[in-house]
Amino acid sequence: MINYDLVIIGGGPAGLTAALYAGRSRLNTLLIEKMSVGGKILTSETIENYPGFPGGVSTTELMARMEAQVKELEVKITAEEAVELDCVSRIVNTGSESYQAGAVIIASGSAPRKLDVPGEKELTGRGVSYCATCDAPFFKDKRVVIVGGGNAVAEEALYLCRFAGSVNIVHRRQDLRASKILQERMLANEKIKFILNSVVTGIKGANKVSAVAIKDLVSGKEEDFACDGVFIYIGHEPATGFLKGKLQMDESGYILADEHMVTSAPGIFACGDCRKKGFYQVINACGDGAVAADSAYKFISGATHGKK
Ligand code: NAP
């Protein structure tokens, strides 16, 4: 068993910001990240609404800067997956190691939601993708479908246009959820076509994607639409499965935490996209992370937040 003042689970914007503030408070801190530090924002190429970067900034650069800033402090980062958290003893188990902490910050984020249609699982990596930034270059001059109607679809459709021959957005309603500025850009791009009031009911292909079945929700008609790739951007699900039954959550698994990031368990804090809130952005994930570190510091030092 290894002891730390603070263990942070997750190395996206929320976890890295919590680590920054914890390091500056001189808490002996461990950050656990199962993949590469940076989080799912790295599945977008650029971010245009992070303050201070007119014209936008590459997500790789932004997250590398956040990581470098944390590394200037004595925060330890380990590449492991937290598989269990005892919310009473505050012991985090990664399978290979156990860490006991004065406080724990959960910043485990969320993962892309699956469409859950026939062919999706079998053809993932063979034309089905959840990351345009990673896979778009494979679709040079090809015909791709992108599913969803939010900001992620808009940004990734515009990015895909740099490579693909045509980008066909399939959305289940008439109106998009994406911000107006992104909708304007999509409408101005002649490579982008909209298939509205429609859903993808299946993905077809022997070894790689060759078509999707699309159902028109108004007429009820279903037809195959030939394509080489399918990008799915229909929101996210919180990465909180390992905490089920241990903390109060909503019905979708988002952790309930107050404005101090205090959860239902003393000394356990939650921040970023794994927390139930109304607006999921990098900027407020960072804000959450700063607050969580402050609350954890106060809890450890016996000051207030965290219902010690
Ligand atoms: P989102 O905003 O939740 O949008 C998900 C889209 O997928 C919605 O259009 C939804 O349709 C559709 N959808 C959900 N389940 C579906 C299903 N089973 N079948 C078909 N369609 C389905 O998710 P997101 O675009 O991934 O963004 C996640 C969060 O990150 C949001 O808060 C977003 O604002 C934020 N974000 C912000 C930026 C930015 O500000 N630049 C960029 C990317 C993401 P309905 O509209 O009918 O519900």
Side-chain angles (χ1 to χ4, degrees):
M1 181 89 67
I2 306 174
N3 291 292
Y4 282 93
D5 293 333
L6 176 67
V7 168
I8 299 168
I9 302 172
L16 285 172
T17 309
L20 170 67
Y21 278 74
R24 292 174 63 83
S25 296
R26 297 294 186 221
L27 292 177
N28 180 23
T29 301
L30 174 72
L31 186 148
I32 302 175
E33 167 56 55
K34 68 174 174 178
M35 310 232 288
S36 51
V37 169
K40 71 174 176 302
I41 186 63
L42 294 176
T43 63
S44 293
E45 197 209 18
T46 51
I47 176 166
E48 291 186 3
N49 55 7
Y50 195 83
F53 295 93
V57 58
S58 129
T59 58
T60 313
E61 185 191 336
L62 181 66
M63 298 321 297
R65 282 171 174 266
M66 284 193 198
E67 183 181 359
Q69 205 172 0
V70 165
K71 284 184 169 164
E72 287 176 356
L73 304 157
E74 282 162 27
V75 171
K76 184 165 183 239
I77 299 179
T78 181
E80 293 176 80
E81 178 173 4
V83 291
E84 202 182 354
L85 168 64
D86 183 325
C87 290
V88 179
S89 60
R90 297 190 283 280
I91 293 174
V92 183
N93 190 349
T94 64
S96 53
E97 194 54 85
S98 292
Y99 302 102
Q100 213 276 323
V104 175
I105 293 177
I106 303 161
S108 51
S110 59
R113 181 177 293 140
K114 307 283 186 293
L115 255 186
D116 210 14
V117 296
E120 180 180 18
K121 202 169 163 193
E122 298 79 351
L123 292 166
T124 292
R126 296 164 180 225
V128 174
S129 172
Y130 303 86
C131 178
T133 307
C134 321
D135 297 330
F138 297 122
F139 296 91
K140 196 160 175 357
D141 299 327
K142 306 273 188 202
R143 193 185 203 203
V144 301
V145 160
I146 177 162
V147 187
N151 278 323
V153 153
E155 288 192 343
E156 301 317 307
L158 289 161
Y159 181 69
L160 274 164
C161 286
R162 294 194 213 165
F163 303 89
S166 83
V167 176
N168 302 275
I169 298 177
V170 179
H171 177 43
R172 64 185 178 185
R173 291 187 298 122
Q174 178 68 31
D175 300 315
L176 299 174
R177 193 182 282 274
S179 62
K180 295 292 178 220
I181 189 167
L182 292 174
Q183 291 196 35
E184 285 162 17
R185 281 187 214 162
M186 283 193 289
L187 288 168
N189 193 313
E190 57 187 28
K191 280 191 182 178
I192 297 181
K193 309 267 179 308
F194 294 93
I195 305 171
L196 300 173
N197 298 308
S198 298
V199 289
V200 168
T201 55
I203 303 173
K204 302 185 177 178
N207 269 317
K208 60 185 184 66
V209 169
S210 58
V212 290
I214 298 179
K215 183 175 181 183
D216 184 318
L217 295 175
V218 179
S219 68
K221 225 169 103 186
E222 192 164 321
E223 276 181 347
D224 280 2
F225 182 90
C227 62
D228 305 288
V230 186
F231 289 82
I232 299 166
Y233 281 97
I234 58 166
H236 296 88
E237 285 168 353
T240 56
F242 69 109
L243 299 164
K244 214 169 175 189
K246 298 185 173 180
L247 289 174
Q248 279 179 16
M249 297 179 185
D250 75 356
E251 61 289 352
S252 305
Y254 286 94
I255 300 169
L256 302 182
D258 70 10
E259 74 271 29
H260 302 295
M261 311 301 140
V262 170
T263 70
S264 55
I268 311 287
F269 304 87
C271 59
D273 284 7
C274 64
R275 180 171 92 89
K276 169 88 176 162
K277 53 184 179 177
F279 196 47
Y280 292 86
Q281 298 280 299
V282 172
I283 186 66
N284 66 345
C286 293
D288 276 11
V291 173
D294 178 60
S295 295
Y297 178 77
K298 286 175 175 154
F299 178 81
I300 292 164
S301 58
T304 53
H305 306 320
K307 301 171 191 150
K308 199 171 188 178

